Amino acid sequence: MVVEKNAPLQPWNTFGIAARAHTLVRVRSAADVHAVLADAALAPQPKFVLGGGSNIVLTGDVKPVVLKMEIKGRRLVEETSKAWIVEAGAGEVWHDCVAWTLEQGFPGLENLALIPGTVGASPVQNIGAYGVELQDRFDSLDAIDLVTGQPFTLDAAQCGFGYRDSVFKHSPSDALGPQGLPRGMGLGGRAVITHVRFRLPKPWKPVLGYLDLERRRVEAGVEQPSAQQIFDWVCEIRRAKLPDPAVLGNAGSFFKNPTVSPEQCSDIIARDPKIVHYPMPDGSIKLAAGWLIDACGWKGKTIGKAGVYEKQALVLVNRGCGADSVTGGEVMTLAKAIQTSVYERFGIRLEPEPVVV
Ligand code: EPU
């Protein structure tokens, strides 16, 4: 177990916010987690689990002990006539893991290429892109209870996946658990994920419904694309639309796409006929938050050192750099100003996607 004091967190969050961890532990195995829990000084302190730092806004120095997940390893656990089951350590870089599965001949994660972050964070917010969500490819995960030290395994149902949601985003005291599961279902702050297993179904079928992807397929004149082609197209689309955190700090989509009732949607369409909306299987309508923010004139705007990305209004970016980077406070001030203007114009409350620490 490697323990660092007063550790800089700027390299470990994709927004590039300058903050420090009072104590940071590099967790390279499940045994490291047990060592933390057996350590007289560390055990009683609150813990904060840090993956790739791609979905957090740091509003100050972090007082809880930061467990920086660096558990590595990727392997095929099982192959049946119906699926490949692949396991990866929580500290593996998500995109590298996707690329590796394709190289090994296990397709299925290609639509999720280039999502920043680590494998261990992927179930926490049920990452999704281009018509596929993690829950569609999830088998199970191993975790350790940070209070009791007990290791446990969860299947998909036990993870309570929803849109950018899972048991790991809810604390036990939340009024509602994920997807309306009862109070007490949350594991937020209580568990650390060590390994994730993916179920990649056979025979592989491409998922092409998403407009941007379909457009790319037609342009390429390909009827039956391979998983590798889809991977390449997803990478191209993302690179064209989304800022590379290594170049311009950001945390991906800053707000969730809101859902409204058909009545509420008709009301908005009557005023704004161009609004981008998608009917959902449960009868509700999902609206494109990026479109709502764009319609309020925010694209390319900056407050302090927090900006709205010029090519995708759903992404907030760090206009500062190094020691002069944006602060978490500036990001949240911009986020609140956006929420207010979207509420005033459309009557919709946007919910932030990243975790504010
Ligand atoms: N749009 C605008 N103006 C903008 C941004 C978007 O008019 O400034 C419109 C687009 O033209 C499009 C619609 O809004 O018609 C949706 O935009 P896009 O296809 O870029 O997708 P999104 O809904 O903004 C979601 C996910 C992304 C994911 C993409 C692709 C959420 C919150 N975001 O974005 O996920 O990559 O779909 O599947 O669900 C993330 O979670 O961090 C993330 C990047």
Side-chain angles (χ1 to χ4, degrees):
M1 160 172 89
V2 180
V3 182
E4 295 169 23
K5 291 286 179 191
N6 198 27
L9 291 174
Q10 195 168 30
W12 310 128
N13 75 98
T14 60
F15 242 120
I17 293 171
R20 284 178 178 270
H22 289 207
T23 308
L24 181 143
V25 182
R26 290 174 181 263
V27 174
R28 294 183 174 144
S29 64
D32 279 348
V33 179
H34 293 297
V36 169
L37 299 180
D39 184 283
L42 299 175
Q45 298 185 49
K47 319 279 183 311
F48 175 75
V49 179
L50 178 65
S54 58
N55 205 41
I56 55 170
V57 181
L58 297 172
T59 55
D61 290 347
V62 181
K63 292 190 187 78
V65 175
V66 174
L67 303 181
K68 183 171 180 293
M69 299 311 292
E70 296 183 353
I71 299 177
K72 298 287 185 192
R74 306 180 286 224
R75 65 188 180 109
L76 179 70
V77 182
E78 192 188 346
E79 180 172 358
T80 68
S81 57
K82 294 202 173 121
W84 295 276
I85 312 289
V86 172
E87 181 183 87
E92 288 285 343
V93 172
W94 171 260
H95 177 73
D96 295 350
C97 179
V98 173
W100 176 83
T101 55
L102 291 177
E103 279 159 28
Q104 303 299 308
F106 316 139
L109 296 177
E110 55 283 347
N111 292 53
L112 302 176
L114 264 196
I115 295 183
T118 51
V119 163
S122 65
V124 174
Q125 60 150 347
N126 186 21
I127 57 171
Y130 306 102
V132 176
E133 281 185 319
L134 183 88
Q135 65 178 340
D136 306 324
R137 302 285 181 268
F138 180 85
D139 178 75
S140 54
L141 61 80
D142 297 334
I144 298 172
D145 187 313
L146 286 171
V147 177
T148 64
Q150 277 298 316
F152 60 93
T153 296
L154 296 185
D155 64 19
Q158 291 166 315
C159 287
F161 290 126
Y163 168 58
R164 297 295 190 275
D165 199 18
S166 75
V167 280
F168 298 100
K169 280 190 106 172
H170 294 262
S171 78
S173 58
D174 278 2
L176 279 181
Q179 292 190 303
L181 288 174
R183 192 182 157 95
M185 284 300 290
L187 285 172
R190 165 99 200 214
V192 56
I193 296 167
T194 55
H195 293 89
V196 183
R197 283 171 294 279
F198 307 99
R199 175 176 293 271
L200 309 176
K202 284 183 183 176
W204 171 78
K205 288 197 207 84
V207 178
L208 290 163
Y210 204 89
L211 193 65
D212 281 348
L213 212 45
E214 195 51 30
R215 206 177 280 146
R216 208 43 75 104
R217 186 190 67 75
V218 171
E219 273 167 22
V222 179
E223 201 56 49
Q224 289 291 325
S226 65
Q228 186 62 45
Q229 269 169 322
I230 295 175
F231 174 91
D232 292 341
W233 293 336
V234 167
C235 290
E236 281 169 32
I237 296 165
R238 289 189 77 96
R239 286 196 176 108
K241 258 194 185 181
L242 299 167
D244 176 354
V247 179
L248 187 62
N250 74 91
S253 299
F254 198 88
F255 298 100
K256 295 184 187 185
N257 284 331
T259 42
V260 293
S261 66
E263 296 72 36
Q264 211 179 348
C265 189
S266 317
D267 211 43
I268 301 173
I269 292 172
R271 286 182 284 136
D272 286 278
K274 288 197 190 132
I275 189 163
V276 178
H277 59 288
Y278 320 95
M280 301 303 286
D282 66 358
S284 65
I285 315 273
K286 189 170 268 190
L287 304 178
W291 186 92
L292 297 170
I293 299 167
D294 197 358
C296 291
W298 281 102
K299 209 183 239 177
K301 291 272 165 64
T302 298
I303 297 185
K305 287 185 283 299
V308 180
Y309 191 50
E310 41 286 337
K311 294 188 207 157
Q312 220 308 5
L314 195 50
V315 179
L316 304 192
V317 297
N318 181 355
R319 296 274 175 223
C321 66
D324 195 30
S325 78
V326 73
T327 63
E330 284 176 308
V331 172
M332 296 316 292
T333 299
L334 175 60
K336 287 202 177 81
I338 291 171
Q339 282 170 310
T340 303
S341 68
V342 167
Y343 183 72
E344 282 172 357
R345 172 147 174 204
F346 297 104
I348 291 166
R349 291 187 195 282
L350 291 181
E351 198 188 322
E353 201 194 278
V355 177
V356 181
V357 186

